Amino acid sequence: DAGVIQSPRHEVTEMGQEVTLRCKPISGHNSLFWYRQTMMRGLELLIYFNNNVPIDDSGMPEDRFSAKMPNASFSTLKIQPSEPRDSAVYFCASSEQGPPYEQYFGPGTRLTVT
Amino acid sequence: AQSVTQLDSQVPVFEEAPVELRCNYSSSVSVYLFWYVQYPNQGLQLLLKYLSGSTLVKGINGFEAEFNKSQTSFHLRKPSVHISDTAEYFCAVARSQGNLIFGKGTKLSVKP
């Protein structure tokens, strides 16, 4: 299996622009997670989906952030408008539904907002 | 509510020395526990996991962890570290809702 695929790997954008991060989970995995990692705040769970349905989005920092999962093999995380404080590495992870819930992480997208 | 505490944010150690990274968890239900490793500029990679059975769990790269229910601990150990073990290590516990609760991470720095 190719593992979790994220694109782009690096994104540099100007403040105010829309940013879309993409994720393809491992085939057969029913749960998908979006995380953000910064030096200051560490690893934060933003949102997760079970069977394409958002279960918990309490970690989404602001209304500028939105996530969708239109089908079992694709998810997006969108930031509109972007701000410099959104600069971080964004990880997508997937897992099978049901215990033990171990997650497999993608390589991440490094976002820089100038 | 479940939580994970990693007691050391940074652990410096010399090459070939033993190392222990400490992790304590709180959970009122059966636990599934994990250690992940993150090498610089990479994603998190599963190092080992405890599901049930033997309390001593062996993982990749010579690491092992011991589940201690009475002390609610899941410490990670390696008898002899290499420079290549320099990375950040995360302990995690699974929630019944299906997501993981991660600790804040421990940065292991192996010096020659």
Side-chain angles (χ1 to χ4, degrees):
Chain A
D1 199 316
V4 175
I5 299 172
Q6 291 187 247
S7 64
R9 293 293 311 277
H10 302 273
E11 176 79 38
V12 180
T13 191
E14 293 184 347
M15 181 174 62
Q17 296 298 305
E18 178 178 294
V19 175
T20 299
L21 311 181
R22 297 172 176 79
C23 176
K24 177 179 170 54
I26 292 172
S27 177
H29 282 190
N30 302 97
S31 299
L32 183 139
F33 307 82
W34 281 103
Y35 293 88
R36 177 173 70 176
Q37 187 177 40
T38 61
M39 291 290 290
M40 291 296 294
R41 301 175 68 91
L43 188 67
E44 304 173 277
L45 176 64
L46 300 178
I47 185 172
Y48 73 96
F49 297 82
N50 281 346
N51 294 318
N52 313 336
V53 176
I55 301 300
D56 185 353
D57 65 355
S58 60
M60 297 285 263
E62 301 172 33
D63 291 345
R64 299 184 295 106
F65 286 70
S66 62
K68 295 183 179 179
M69 192 164 186
N71 57 62
S73 59
F74 184 66
S75 176
T76 59
L77 178 68
K78 186 174 294 186
I79 308 172
Q80 165 64 17
S82 59
E83 296 183 5
R85 59 191 167 128
D86 302 330
S87 297
V89 181
Y90 291 82
F91 290 104
C92 176
S94 69
S95 71
E96 295 180 346
Q97 196 169 18
Y101 307 116
E102 64 187 79
Q103 295 179 16
Y104 295 83
F105 282 73
T109 296
R110 183 174 295 275
L111 173 65
T112 303
V113 183
T114 61
Chain B
Q2 288 127 316
S3 66
V4 175
T5 302
Q6 291 185 243
L7 298 163
D8 305 298
S9 60
Q10 297 187 33
V11 173
V13 64
F14 287 106
E15 194 174 18
E16 298 183 5
V19 70
E20 177 179 83
L21 305 184
R22 297 179 293 169
C23 173
N24 287 91
Y25 68 91
S26 67
S27 176
S28 58
V29 297
S30 297
V31 294
Y32 304 113
L33 294 160
F34 307 87
W35 276 99
Y36 283 82
V37 59
Q38 184 179 29
Y39 298 106
N41 300 313
Q42 295 187 27
L44 278 70
Q45 176 184 351
L46 183 65
L47 195 58
L48 52 78
K49 60 188 175 185
Y50 171 79
L51 307 182
S52 65
S54 174
T55 57
L56 185 63
V57 180
K58 293 189 183 298
I60 61 173
N61 301 336
F63 283 93
E64 61 183 31
E66 185 161 15
F67 170 63
N68 188 318
K69 187 175 182 179
S70 62
Q71 297 187 5
T72 60
S73 68
F74 191 53
H75 300 333
L76 182 69
R77 302 186 182 104
K78 186 169 183 178
S80 176
V81 294
H82 301 141
I83 299 287
S84 59
D85 293 323
T86 295
E88 189 161 18
Y89 293 80
F90 293 89
C91 182
V93 63
R95 296 181 69 201
S96 57
Q97 292 89 335
N99 60 321
L100 300 182
I101 302 298
F102 285 89
K104 293 187 181 300
T106 298
K107 292 184 178 178
L108 175 64
S109 175
V110 181
K111 304 177 180 181

